Amino acid sequence: MDWLNSPMESTTHYRLPHPAAKVWALLADFGNLSWIGRGLERIECCGHGIGMTRTMHWSFNDKPSIHRLQQLDSAAMTLSYDIEDTYLPVSNHRIRCQVVSIAKNECELHVTISLTAANLESERDIIAVVEDWLPNTVKAMNAFLSGEPAP
């Protein structure tokens, strides 16, 4: 991941051995992250469609993460959401995902993360957390789609 400084932004591409439609169906179900594993205790959803929120409660932190869906375009297989509240010292935190078909049973997932760190000292810590979280989340997605247990 290459990061641009404040506001920080990074785009990463992941090649997945699954049809784009299958990956998109999983991502587009914004309220369902049962496949994520890794410390997610429960999700509470409020509303439907654009503007809906999902509140994610984690085993490793008392502060839940609140995500608000901002864009959902099935034709372009693109979604974006804001992270309105999180345990990280950040603001203006947005994640954009796009699924791009490569072949019948292969696609790329493009993920852009943008945020503003609360201060310069926290930038390195935030980058370390995101660079651990994102690849592991993609691994969990891949495992779920392959019928394997979450890593």
Side-chain angles (χ1 to χ4, degrees), residues 1 3 8-12 83 92-96 111-115 130-131 133-134:
M1 293 181 185
W3 289 91
M8 300 164 63
E9 184 170 290
S10 176
T11 299
T12 308
I83 301 180
N92 306 316
H93 195 174
R94 176 166 280 193
I95 296 180
R96 181 179 186 274
V111 181
T112 300
I113 300 173
S114 58
L115 55 88
V130 171
E131 288 185 352
W133 166 80
L134 185 56

Side-chain angles (χ1 to χ4, degrees), residues 100-114:
V100 177
S101 182
I102 304 259
K104 181 179 178 185
N105 290 311
E106 190 174 16
C107 68
E108 276 191 354
L109 174 60
H110 301 180
V111 181
T112 300
I113 300 173
S114 58

